[in-house]
């Protein structure tokens, strides 16, 4: 629907004349994200800075293409995915692009396009009522929900900021008083509950209102963004941006929903903070709470597989990576604050673009000077919860480079509504590839065919269930009865995290509440033993204490093709059945099983031309189950990927002791095969009780190591001594590796 | 086992002294593949030619590493995969490397290493008898089969050629008369049947003997390679290299076993031909049979998906690509012959290495000068059979670049023992990715876990069967009763191949013998209609004539995740059964089915963030079956990939009319989705009889096209006229596209 009343066209003509007269250098410069100094420097230096030039050219290409399409500001009508929804999203992106390009190129066509569109919006906005799609707890006007409404204003504030200086007083009055100010009021004083909410919806709203305030030099709006709005005597907790900063990230910059959502939640924080830093530098917003925003940005970057994709814990789409716009902002803004962080430039190079502002300019300059260093992935524990005491997410890496081996363990809190019932789950990555996977979410975002792009029913029935993860399932039930409310009332307990030694990096955590009466502790030791292997050997000790006897299932969702096992198994060859009826088991086909022999059992698979071996110590009657995802899937929505499941029945206290290792390779073209066999020849528990667990690994090259972990104290100074089979083991601290 | 007798060590010492005295420039230059002129030029230019320098450095690194390991010439003992087998393979690679490096660097250590090893071999060889592993029809001495034996000599001849000039007469005498000459005799006069065989084993043997001849200036050996050896009155067909050149490739340079084996068979041809060209240029070997070797090399390059991997028809491993050493030789030697072929340089750049010889030098020079052009993939029909009259393999491409869409159809001969029962099968590729796959071979080469790396039992029971391919199965039986002998007695018949027009490229072929009493014709039209879509629309018309009624299955092995279908189907959610007991059906799980509605039916899937749609015209009672590979697989060796199968039962004459198209995308990071729906809204057969088939496509943008193919004449000048529903259709030639 194009609006064409007379009044508008007279205005447009007036603007055209004004715009054509204005040279860009004479204009008022913007001051929110893009600033005057940056504009001048960008104009002067862009041809010498390839990354910046490319970013400008790319923005130009996209914006010019959109401009060819003409201006369309349709009456709001459609839900997410529909035309009016998509169009208003596209419009804010185009307005932002046009604003930035007007500043950078000085070409009047960009300013004209932006102004024309703002005036169309100003003409329509006062007439709008609540969006006709009634599906949100917080409906917007342009969009079905206020979240999108806020995002629109975050971008449009920046766009307006870029042309405010060349508008006539009448135009400014129209755009500010008919559009931006009422729009900001709608998001704040008219919807205080969303605005004050400590939640990413609240952050977007605060950022939108605050940035609109800066764009219009309206201190009241800015202060509202800082402080929230009053809603009467019932509200006595604080609100606003500063509270958001205090509450939503842990002291390590970890966001409880996980990195997929953290990536999204980061953007309004970063944008508003940058705007604050540019306009109220005295607030030192980036130093707030011990530099929490910088920490959050760096944590998001660290929470990636070395191919750049975020660890897909909780509801997460696996393809999302640090190539996302949010992370381009994160990299640029953090580098803008601290130009010593040359490792960020390595990621900026991969991203292949910069934000067109002071920070992006700094990044482009440094890269042009050849200052980029490769990003360093760290072994680190990221504490969860506002005070950092609600469990953690642990990451061990064999080294800091792209080819490293990475093992993650989740021992955090539930992660709100997007959390999975997956306490103590692990995932393993080698050279940027998923080897033991976390399934992630069951969803095809924005693909209308698949339930309109929303979460699929299988997200609840499969992806969130415990059996969908590489962690223990007790009696085929999910943790916390599969109830978010129950799970949200407790969290796992970190026990040990020690990545200080190259040779052995250790993490251990306990989970005592997921299953009533069952106490679990999982310990991961990443062994880097050059005398044994160039690749890390992961020791995985899953200890259980229980008064009652249970059936335990410990699945490993290996990615790739099964190559070999020494377990005597029988595959199902003529018919398959689902493994159960509920708790996720209804989505697994039982493809075979075998009874393991007591002692060392091996399972070998091939993934992308490398071999991987799971070596596990079995007890009498333990079974190895073979499974494949895909049962109970009436719309063929699940990925049909395999797993092996260790089954130990009628057991109370026990230990699952296993190793996981990468070895050898198969060359795709020469077809040469090396290192077909792993380096662990045997695995044997020497002791496992409430005080200690000791496990011995016999290597194929005859090396032997014994790993010890303490189960009743993690005191770094406690001294331990025990004798097993006539051998003395003495050490200080929570764990030790003995070489024999 | 290291040999250390006194005699050897005295010789080694003598050589050491000689070698140290000799400056490389004073040596006799080699003349087989590497030549004197090339050596001089390489020494002079290498620092300016990055690709050449990299190739030398890389060879140096590998050879130095091997030299550190010392010389070991063990007594032959093991089969393929065992130590002595691998060691002798490694030894010839190391000797070749050392020889080339001695010439290029002039460093005596390389010459010494090579001579020491040759002398060890010379000391051992006369004592060898037939290899202890008795598993080949043609056992070797160093290796279990003569094929490896010949490959050894191909490399060692080149190595010897590099140091022959610095040997003392006594050393030459030892190496030639105790090793090379008896070795060449063993491969020829002592094993005439293999030597004379028109087969890749025979080619390797001829190349080995001929190249040894050139290395020792022994004309008798060279002539033996050209002419074969006499075996008595029974043999009256010719033998030797020239006959091999006449017989094994079709006039289009196509090798009947398919490109995976062609890649391997190419190498001895190329090497020996290059040696001939360097030593007997008057033979003009590269012009032999209208330049057959050049054609074969270029055909091998053309028989690739645009990611470089060979089309995996017949028994083929999918990872094999033009990165293979064979193809580095092919690219370099062909460019060496014809420096106008700048498109070859594009592949050489991808290969990242050159052969260290005159031809490789030319490639490196041209690339350093920036002359490389991207390789152009062509739409082409490759005729099969020595005379080119045994069917063909057809390839249609939407354009010549890496992002093109490619559709292949196999209507060739059986392809000997490695052939599949897959007449008229198609495969579809988009942007270098497999979209409708050919399964390839069931094998994990060199992976001992999987049947010693040999072909798996499932290669016969599954991979070779008709149902494993995207072609019609009649009554659930494989073509030609699944018998190689039967299938080898006939071949498909090319009908039309016309890639002359950008807008429509057409191929059509008939197969009348695969099923008794059933005549089949498949026609593919690749439509490039910019007014409808940027992507090609593939029209797939599978026509059947039969006196009796049959059950027809037409499978499409789509790669990716099912997104949508308008067929009302029921998925199997709690149990699965195999689809049959034989002919490959025992390897398919029946995962669901639906009865199609008469008219247009659609199946949409997602692969690597692009959407694909199969649109098919159904008749009443047609079914769409859903299947997944993996039943009857007791060792979990198959890849568990999906298919949809169109089932039409109790039918004689019929037409399966379908389109396949790529459309839209799903961005992995912005999560934006475009082009969710394909461009074909409807498909309808207007006529289908023994004379013509006419099919109409209704596009979503209201364009309509009608494609006509003639079934009883492919005369380019024949005129046709018919009226359907009151519409006149007139055209000249075998096919036509009408736009309405």
């Amino acid at each position: 629907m194009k609006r064409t009343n007379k009044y508008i066209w007279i205005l447009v003509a007036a603007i055209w004349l004004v715009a054509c007269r204005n040279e860009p250098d004479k204009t008022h410069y913007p001051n929110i994200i893009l600033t005057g100094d940056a504009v001048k420097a960008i104009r002067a230096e862009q041809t010498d800075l390839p990354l910046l030039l490319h970013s400008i050219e790319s923005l130009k290409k996209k914006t010019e293409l959109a401009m060819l399409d003409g201006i369309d500001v349709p009456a709001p009508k459609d839900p997410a995915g529909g035309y009016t929804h998509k169009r208003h999203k596209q419009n804010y992106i185009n307005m932002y692009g046009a604003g930035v390009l007007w500043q950078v190129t000085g070409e009047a066509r960009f300013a004209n396009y932006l102004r024309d569109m703002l005036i169309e919006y100003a003409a329509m906005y006062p007439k709008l009522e609540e969006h006709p799609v009634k599906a949100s707890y917080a409906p917007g006007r342009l969009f079905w929900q206020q979240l999108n409404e806020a995002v629109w204003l975050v971008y449009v504030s920046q766009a307006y900021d870029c042309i405010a200086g060349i508008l006539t007083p009448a135009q400014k009055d129209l755009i500010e008083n008919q559009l931006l100010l009422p729009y900001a009021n709608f998001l704040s004083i008219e919807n205080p509950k969303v605005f004050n909410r400590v939640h990413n919806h609240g952050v977007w709203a605060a950022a939108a209102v605050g940035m609109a305030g800066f764009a219009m030099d309206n201190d009241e709006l800015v202060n509202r963004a800082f402080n929230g709005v009053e809603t009467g005597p019932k509200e006595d907790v604080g609100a606003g941006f500063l509270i958001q900063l205090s509450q939503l990230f842990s002291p390590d910059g970890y966001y409880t929903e996980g990195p997929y959502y953290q990536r999204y939640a980061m953007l309004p924080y970063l944008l508003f903070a940058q705007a604050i830093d540019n306009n109220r530098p005295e607030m030192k917003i980036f130093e707030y709470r011990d530099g929490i925003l910088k920490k959050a940005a760096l944590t998001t970057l660290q929470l990636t597989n070395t191919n750049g994709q975020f660890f897909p814990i909780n509801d997460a789409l696996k393809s999302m990576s640090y190539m996302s716009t949010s992370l381009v902002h994160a990299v640029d803004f953090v580098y803008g604050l601290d130009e010593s962080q040359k490792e960020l430039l390595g990621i900026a190079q991969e991203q292949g673009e910069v934000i067109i502002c002071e920070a992006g300019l700094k990044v482009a300059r440094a890269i042009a000077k050849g200052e980029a260093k490769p990003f360093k992935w760290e072994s680190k524990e990221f504490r969860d919860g506002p005070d950092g005491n609600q469990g953690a997410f642990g990451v061990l890496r064999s080294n800091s480079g792209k080819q490293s081996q990475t093992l993650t363990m989740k021992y955090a809190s539930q992660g709100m509504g997007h959390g999975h019932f997956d306490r103590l789950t692990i995932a393993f990555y080698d050279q940027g590839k998923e080897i033991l996977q976390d399934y992630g979410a069951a969803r095809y975002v924005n693909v209308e065919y698949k339930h309109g792009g929303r979460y699929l029913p299988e997200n609840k029935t499969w992806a969130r269930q415990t059996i969908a993860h590489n962690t223990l399932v007790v009696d085929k039930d999910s943790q916390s009865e599969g109830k978010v409310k129950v799970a949200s009332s407790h969290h796992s307990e970190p026990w040990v995290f020690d990545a200080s030694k190259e040779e052995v990096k250790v993490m251990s955590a306990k989970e005592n509440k997921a299953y009533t009466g069952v106490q679990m502790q999982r310990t991961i030791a990443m062994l880097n033993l050059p005398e044994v292997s160039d690749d890390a050997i992961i020791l995985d000790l899953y200890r259980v204490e229980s008064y009652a006897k249970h059936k335990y299932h410990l699945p490993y969702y290996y990615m790739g093709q099964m190559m070999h096992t020494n377990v005597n198994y029988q595959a199902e060859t003529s018919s398959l059945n689902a493994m159960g009826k509920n708790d996720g088991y209804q989505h697994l086909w039982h493809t075979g099983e075998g009874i393991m022999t007591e002692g060392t059992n091996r399972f070998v698979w091939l993934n992308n031309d490398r071999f991987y071996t799971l070596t596990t110590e079995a007890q009498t009657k333990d079974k190895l189950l073979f499974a494949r995802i895909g049962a109970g899937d009436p719309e063929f929505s699940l990925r049909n990927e395999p797993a092996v499941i260790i089954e130990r029945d009628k057991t109370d206290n026990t230990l699952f002791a296993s190793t996981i290792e990468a070895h050898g390779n198969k060359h795709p073209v020469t077809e040469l095969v090396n290192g077909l066999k792993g380096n662990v020849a045997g695995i044997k528990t020497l002791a496992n009780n409430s005080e200690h667990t000791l496990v011995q690994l016999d290597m194929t090259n005859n090396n032997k190591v014994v790993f010890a972990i303490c189960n009743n104290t993690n005191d770094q100074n406690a001294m331990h001594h025990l004798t097993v089979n006539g051998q003395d083991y003495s050490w200080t601290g929570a764990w030790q590796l003995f070489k024999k």
Side-chain angles (χ1 to χ4, degrees), chain A:
Chain A
M1 191 193 83
K2 301 200 181 193
R3 301 190 56 87
T4 51
N5 72 56
K6 219 180 192 180
Y7 168 71
I8 296 292
W9 286 115
I10 291 168
L11 256 176
V12 169
I15 291 159
W16 176 267
L17 288 170
V18 173
C20 291
R21 271 210 327 271
N22 270 275
E23 286 300 303
D25 287 330
K26 294 176 198 159
T27 63
H28 166 90
Y29 286 112
N31 65 359
I32 307 188
I33 302 297
L34 184 59
T35 55
D37 287 349
V39 169
K40 288 178 217 161
I42 288 168
R43 286 189 198 157
E45 299 174 42
Q46 58 177 298
T47 51
D48 300 324
L49 305 178
L51 198 54
L52 180 67
L53 190 63
H54 170 77
S55 303
I56 293 170
E57 291 302 322
S58 151
L59 186 66
K60 210 165 167 178
K61 214 165 142 184
K62 274 185 269 183
T63 309
E64 281 172 345
L65 206 68
M67 284 164 64
L68 278 180
D69 198 27
I71 290 173
D72 186 15
V73 176
K77 184 166 79 65
D78 301 326
Y83 175 74
T84 69
H85 180 93
K86 282 187 176 174
R87 186 74 202 195
H88 289 299
K89 277 179 84 163
Q90 201 52 55
N91 280 349
Y92 68 66
I93 291 167
N94 298 342
M95 283 192 273
Y96 166 79
V100 168
L101 288 167
W102 154 246
Q103 287 291 337
V104 171
T105 68
E107 294 175 33
R109 60 193 175 120
F110 294 114
N112 296 340
Y113 172 81
L114 167 54
R115 269 182 296 196
D116 292 356
M117 199 185 293
L118 281 172
I119 288 167
E120 293 255 0
Y121 271 105
M124 178 174 76
Y125 192 77
K127 298 171 205 159
L128 294 183
E129 297 182 352
E130 192 178 292
H131 194 277
V133 172
K134 315 287 182 196
S136 170
Y137 79 99
R141 284 179 176 166
L142 290 176
F143 300 94
W144 71 285
Q145 62 168 351
Q146 280 174 41
L147 173 61
N148 301 101
E149 204 85 0
V151 177
W152 188 96
L153 189 57
V154 164
Y155 280 87
V156 173
S157 298
Q158 294 180 67
Y160 179 70
D161 188 38
C162 286
I163 56 157
I166 58 159
L167 296 177
T168 65
Q171 293 154 3
K172 277 188 78 158
D173 177 60
L174 176 77
I175 295 168
E176 295 195 2
N177 293 319
Q178 303 292 311
L179 178 64
L180 301 180
L181 192 59
Y183 198 113
N185 286 339
F186 172 77
L187 288 175
S188 51
I189 45 179
E190 294 172 33
N191 281 285
K193 280 193 183 159
V194 180
F195 192 69
N196 285 353
R197 197 175 167 204
V198 181
H199 180 277
N200 83 67
H201 291 191
V203 180
W204 277 103
V209 170
M211 289 169 74
F214 283 129
M216 295 186 280
D217 290 324
N218 181 327
D219 278 351
E220 196 199 327
L221 287 183
V222 175
N223 291 336
R224 207 184 284 166
F226 287 147
N227 304 319
V229 293
E230 285 189 30
T231 55
K234 269 192 283 181
E235 297 276 338
D236 58 352
V237 299
F241 190 66
L242 300 178
I243 295 293
Q244 304 272 20
L245 274 181
S246 309
Q247 293 291 315
L248 280 185
F249 295 113
S250 84
D252 292 334
Y254 179 85
Y255 179 64
T256 192
E257 289 187 300
Y260 175 77
Y261 278 96
Q262 176 152 2
R263 168 249 354 156
Y264 189 63
M266 289 283 305
L267 190 55
Y269 280 107
L270 286 166
L271 284 167
F272 190 33
Q274 186 67 57
I276 296 167
D277 208 44
N278 286 338
N279 290 279
R280 299 198 182 169
E282 70 283 1
M283 281 184 69
K284 301 194 173 175
I285 188 75
F286 281 109
E287 290 174 31
Y288 186 77
R289 205 181 155 207
D290 200 20
I292 189 68
L293 270 178
K294 192 170 143 185
K295 278 186 194 169
L298 292 172
T299 289
T300 319
L301 290 172
Q302 286 292 342
L303 290 173
T304 54
N305 177 8
T306 58
N307 68 359
Q309 291 175 347
F310 297 118
F311 296 129
I313 50 169
N314 295 334
D315 287 345
L317 279 293
K318 290 196 181 186
S319 63
M320 187 56 70
S321 75
Y322 60 44
M323 302 298 279
S324 144
T325 302
S326 268
L327 275 294
V328 179
H329 282 86
V331 165
D332 289 4
F333 291 175
V334 173
Y335 183 80
L337 292 172
D338 178 2
E339 293 187 66
S340 72
Q341 303 229 15
K342 304 297 182 195
E343 292 81 10
L344 291 176
L345 303 175
I347 291 183
Q349 278 180 316
E350 266 189 74
Q351 290 171 336
E353 58 168 330
V354 290
I355 304 304
I356 298 166
C357 69
E358 179 78 22
L361 177 69
K362 288 180 182 173
V363 169
R365 271 186 198 138
I367 287 176
K369 280 189 210 153
E371 294 174 2
K373 288 187 183 168
F375 185 68
K376 283 187 185 160
W377 278 274
E378 296 171 4
S379 292
K380 203 171 167 189
E381 181 174 66
F382 301 91
R383 290 170 295 162
D384 193 8
D387 299 318
N389 58 2
Q390 297 181 15
F393 183 75
V395 181
L396 296 182
R397 318 237 189 208
S398 63
N399 62 59
S400 66
K402 284 216 168 236
Q403 298 301 305
S404 72
Q405 281 146 8
T406 304
L407 196 132
T408 66
M409 177 157 66
K410 189 176 168 219
Y411 44 103
S413 69
Q414 182 64 14
M416 308 202 284
H418 289 300
H420 288 196
F421 300 97
D422 62 352
R423 303 276 163 88
L424 305 189
T425 192
I426 60 170
F428 180 54
Y429 302 85
D430 180 33
Q431 304 185 347
K433 305 209 168 58
E434 281 185 296
I435 305 304
L436 293 175
Q437 72 160 328
D438 186 309
Y439 189 88
R443 182 185 189 185
Y444 299 91
V445 184
N446 291 330
V447 178
E448 283 177 55
Y449 293 135
K450 293 290 189 186
H451 289 254
R454 296 183 298 277
Y455 285 100
L456 297 170
E458 291 78 16
N459 193 56
K460 268 197 179 165
T461 59
W462 162 251
R464 288 184 182 164
Q465 300 299 319
T466 306
I467 187 62
H469 299 84
N470 301 308
T471 191
L472 196 79
V473 183
V474 178
D475 294 332
K476 298 182 77 174
D477 294 328
S478 277
Q479 296 175 355
S480 304
E481 304 163 55
K483 292 181 182 160
V484 178
K485 206 168 173 187
V486 176
S488 298
S489 70
H490 52 74
H491 52 79
S492 303
E493 296 293 342
W495 186 247
V496 173
F497 189 92
D498 184 353
S500 62
K501 295 178 192 64
E502 264 314 296
E503 191 171 59
V504 199
K505 293 166 185 156
V506 179
M507 59 182 166
S508 182
K510 296 186 176 192
E511 172 55 54
N512 298 331
K513 297 190 175 154
Y515 291 107
T516 308
V518 181
Q519 302 195 311
M520 310 190 291
Q521 176 180 4
R522 193 171 205 168
T523 302
I524 299 292
M526 179 179 267
L527 309 179
N528 286 300
L529 305 172
E531 71 275 23
V532 175
S533 170
D534 292 339
D535 297 300
I537 295 169
I538 310 296
L539 178 60
D540 175 17
L541 304 177
Y542 206 123
R543 209 172 83 79
V544 191
E545 283 191 11
S546 167
Y547 291 109
K549 293 195 187 238
H550 299 283
K551 178 185 287 230
Y552 298 123
H553 277 168
L554 183 57
Y556 289 90
Y557 285 86
Y558 69 96
M559 297 290 270
Q561 182 80 36
M562 192 274 206
M563 286 288 114
H564 171 73
T565 178
N566 64 343
V567 177
N568 184 12
Y569 69 94
Q570 195 79 34
E572 300 294 344
T573 57
S574 60
S575 68
L576 292 185
N577 291 297
M579 289 184 72
K581 302 214 158 164
N582 45 40
D583 289 68
Y585 281 84
Q586 72 275 29
H587 293 292
L588 285 175
W589 296 116
H590 177 274
T591 58
E593 64 174 63
I595 294 174
M596 294 197 272
T597 46
E598 201 179 334
T600 302
N601 292 261
R602 251 182 302 281
F603 178 82
V604 185
W605 70 99
L606 179 68
N607 178 311
N608 260 290
D609 298 320
R610 290 206 81 188
F611 296 97
Y612 298 88
T613 296
L614 169 72
T615 306
T616 193
E617 184 190 28
Q619 298 181 359
T620 321
K621 295 190 184 163
D622 278 3
K623 282 184 184 172
L624 189 66
L625 311 182
F626 295 79
R628 188 168 286 275
I629 304 164
D633 183 19
E635 294 167 333
F636 296 114
S637 293
L638 296 177
R639 303 190 309 269
N640 292 186
E641 291 154 345
V644 285
I645 303 173
I646 301 170
E647 177 175 292
R648 187 167 297 166
D649 203 359
K650 296 171 189 147
T651 304
D652 41 29
N653 299 347
T654 194
L655 175 75
F656 294 86
S658 307
T659 60
I660 301 143
E661 48 173 335
H663 50 93
N665 60 70
K666 176 177 182 305
H667 194 286
V669 171
T670 66
E671 298 184 338
L672 293 174
V673 168
N674 292 301
L676 204 57
K677 290 179 183 168
N679 298 292
V680 178
I683 181 165
K684 190 177 168 53
T685 301
L686 303 182
N688 182 47
N689 53 50
S690 60
E691 290 175 12
H692 313 101
T693 298
L694 270 76
V695 172
Q696 174 169 320
L697 300 182
D698 298 339
M699 306 299 183
T700 49
N701 70 353
N702 295 322
N703 279 40
K704 286 182 200 304
V705 299
V706 172
F707 179 81
I709 178 95
C710 301
N711 302 327
N712 61 348
T713 170
N714 53 11
D715 183 341
Q716 288 189 23
N717 301 312
M719 290 171 65
H720 305 272
H721 179 79
L722 79 165
T723 305
V724 183
N725 302 335
Q727 284 259 0
D728 284 341
Y729 297 92
S730 300
W731 74 95
T732 304
W735 65 272
Q736 186 64 275
L737 186 78
F738 301 93
K739 293 189 178 184
K740 293 168 91 176

